[in-house]
Structure formats: C-alpha cells, structure tokens
Amino acid sequence: MESGPAIFAATVFLLFGAALLAWTGARARHGAPVAEGVRPSVAVPLAVLAGAASLALGAWCLARL
C-alpha cells in the first residue's frame, strides 16, 4: 500500500536531480550563469551538490521498497 508514494517520490527526486545536473552542466559548459547574481565558483558546486543529493534521495527511496 505504501509502495506507490515511495515510487512517486523516488521518481520525482531522480528526475529533478538528473535535470538539475544536466542543466548545470550545459550552463557551465557554455559559460552562462548558473544562478543570477552569484559567482560561478559558488553556484556550480552548490547546484551539483543539490543535484547529487536529489539523486541520492531518489535511490534511497527506491532502496526502501
């Protein structure tokens, strides 16, 4: 009964994490700002950390099934 919400949460976390990492990589590769008004040396690692954390949460949700 509780596996449905866990699968949904895992899917959301995995999709968000993958999209954030892809977007950050594309912006950094083109030299475009990742976050408006923030230095790239701060914005890129924080965005990568947030994307990796989201992927880790998604994997953790799937492992709990």
Side-chain angles (χ1 to χ4, degrees):
M1 201 72 189
E2 293 180 6
S3 64
I7 292 170
F8 176 75
T11 303
V12 169
F13 278 126
L14 290 172
L15 286 175
F16 175 75
L20 182 61
L21 289 174
W23 181 82
T24 302
R27 299 290 287 182
R29 185 174 38 248
H30 287 90
V34 174
E36 192 66 38
V38 181
R39 292 180 312 210
S41 62
V42 175
V44 172
L46 285 177
V48 168
L49 182 65
S54 182
L55 288 177
L57 279 172
W60 180 77
C61 286
L62 286 179
R64 301 284 296 171
L65 293 177

